[in-house]
Amino acid sequence: MEEGVRLAPYTTLRLGGNARAFVTADTEERLVELVSEADRRGEPVLILGGGSNLVLSDTGFDGLVVKVGTRGIVTYGGLVTAAAGEDWDPLVERCVAEGLSGIECLSGIPGLVGSTPIQNVGAYGQDVSQTIVAVRVFDRRRREILDLEAAECGFAYRDSAFKGALDRFVVLSVTYHLESDELSQPLAYAELARSLGVAPGERVPLARARARVLELRRGKGMVLDPDDPDTVSAGSFFTNPILGRAQADELEKLAPGYPRWPAGDDAVKVPAAWLIENAGFHKGYAKGRVRVSTKHTLALTNPTGEATADELLELAREVRDGVKAKFGVTLVNEPVMIGVSL
């Protein structure tokens, strides 16, 4: 247990003040024990994973920060169970190498396994809710460990029952059901399919799909690289808005032919990056020490690592308000906010 640990180095945005107390939990038992003891004391707890989808206050966290350091991967047929502290991309790499299909398009996403069901992590036409069959959690309210089936997890677009109850559930491990197949799942993302020279719905070798996803993500500054200041970010800062028919029709009047794709029940999903760029926030748009990524308008960056969370949020509000003023659409932040709000 350490005191006064600076949290910024534990986040990909390099933002955040000090933790009053900081400890790493290397086992599931220790993780549950630390959280349980803090709850009994009435001490605030922050469960820290890879810090890749997090905006932390400059004032830090006045409580106990528990860094998840659990390890372990068990495979049985197409079932893969990984501890919450396992790094996500190495797990994807291993599954691709072992001919397990279903998460190959989620290559290059930073963070830990335990965060994937919370955010319902997704990219390039796949999200983890398509393959998750169970999530093992510690329920802090009931003070017991539960094994939840996928149907109990409340998965939705970049959302889950866990995301709305961060102070209740601690993810301990996740089980995915993957197919034993050397080919990818049918490619659902047009950009990825086009870059591979195939039609949407076709399949390609797993390794080829992974390699192309990594290439696309690097081109957008979405693969962590110490030599690329655009990767000092939280990835996509805003979710792609889903508009009902009435709002979609209103946007058509303001921006005829705007890009969209079906989202069910007469709704459409609109690329937030397009809205941001067409509201006047070009790649590289800067505000002091923070800026829009030079590679992708959906990422907000702290390129020198010297900015504050307040500076980043000021830029985020400017972008959100600019999109709202021009298109009547309110962007919603994707990263989790701790001690701050947009």
Side-chain angles (χ1 to χ4, degrees):
M1 190 84 70
E2 300 177 80
E3 296 181 356
V5 172
R6 186 166 174 261
L7 295 173
Y10 291 94
T11 74
T12 55
L13 267 167
R14 300 291 179 261
L15 298 175
N18 295 346
R20 181 155 57 83
F22 184 98
V23 64
T24 298
D26 293 326
T27 67
E28 179 180 300
E29 294 76 18
R30 181 64 172 150
L31 178 55
V32 171
E33 177 186 32
L34 286 165
V35 174
S36 297
E37 289 178 352
D39 285 345
R40 281 193 288 269
R41 295 192 302 268
E43 182 177 15
V45 177
L46 171 62
I47 307 299
L48 181 63
S52 59
N53 194 49
L54 191 63
V55 180
L56 277 168
S57 166
D58 296 318
T59 61
F61 188 75
D62 188 20
L64 174 65
V65 175
V66 181
K67 178 78 172 69
V68 181
T70 54
R71 293 290 184 269
I73 299 172
V74 177
T75 60
Y76 181 77
L79 293 177
V80 178
T81 299
E86 287 285 346
D87 284 316
W88 172 251
D89 191 55
L91 176 66
V92 178
E93 182 179 30
R94 171 175 169 170
C95 290
V96 167
E98 294 181 1
L100 295 172
S101 173
I103 56 175
E104 59 281 348
C105 294
L106 303 179
S107 294
I109 295 176
L112 304 185
V113 164
S115 299
T116 62
I118 296 173
Q119 186 71 11
N120 188 14
V121 165
Y124 294 102
Q126 288 183 346
D127 59 58
V128 292
S129 66
Q130 295 168 337
T131 55
I132 288 176
V133 293
V135 181
R136 186 172 175 84
V137 300
F138 174 57
D139 185 335
R140 296 166 63 184
R141 184 181 301 170
R142 296 169 57 174
R143 297 188 179 181
E144 62 180 320
I145 293 174
L146 305 173
D147 290 294
L148 302 178
E149 297 180 357
E152 300 175 274
C153 296
F155 289 127
Y157 172 60
R158 301 297 173 268
D159 200 7
S160 71
F162 313 118
K163 188 173 181 180
L166 293 175
D167 58 349
R168 177 177 178 180
F169 296 108
V170 180
V171 177
L172 304 176
S173 66
V174 186
T175 299
Y176 309 86
H177 182 263
L178 307 178
E179 293 185 16
S180 295
D181 199 322
E182 294 295 334
L183 295 179
S184 70
Q185 292 299 295
L187 298 174
Y189 199 78
E191 178 192 13
L192 176 59
R194 184 169 56 250
S195 71
L196 286 164
V198 301
E202 291 190 33
R203 306 172 73 191
V204 299
L206 287 174
R208 188 179 171 208
R210 172 174 165 79
R212 187 51 55 90
V213 167
L214 288 172
E215 182 181 346
L216 290 171
R217 289 184 65 85
R218 287 192 185 98
K220 298 175 181 178
M222 296 292 188
V223 176
L224 294 181
D225 181 349
D227 296 323
D228 184 355
D230 277 327
T231 69
V232 187
S233 76
S236 299
F237 198 89
F238 298 102
T239 59
N240 293 321
I242 296 176
L243 310 182
R245 176 181 290 180
Q247 194 174 15
D249 290 345
E250 286 300 313
L251 183 55
E252 179 66 25
K253 296 175 184 177
L254 296 171
Y258 68 90
R260 76 207 85 173
W261 57 93
D265 297 327
D266 289 330
V268 296
K269 187 183 293 184
V270 182
W274 184 90
L275 292 169
I276 292 167
E277 189 147 11
N278 284 275
F281 302 98
H282 54 78
K283 295 172 185 174
Y285 179 91
K287 191 177 185 68
R289 296 183 291 184
V290 295
R291 71 184 183 200
V292 174
S293 168
T294 65
K295 299 180 181 68
H296 198 290
T297 53
L298 200 47
L300 306 184
T301 69
N302 174 19
T304 66
E306 298 174 350
T308 65
D310 284 345
E311 289 175 85
L312 184 87
L313 290 171
E314 187 176 351
L315 173 60
R317 293 183 190 110
E318 182 181 353
V319 170
R320 179 199 60 190
D321 295 347
V323 169
K324 175 68 172 178
K326 180 155 188 177
F327 296 115
V329 176
T330 301
L331 296 180
V332 177
N333 57 281
E334 185 167 326
V336 174
M337 306 279 180
I338 302 295
V340 294
S341 62
L342 191 59

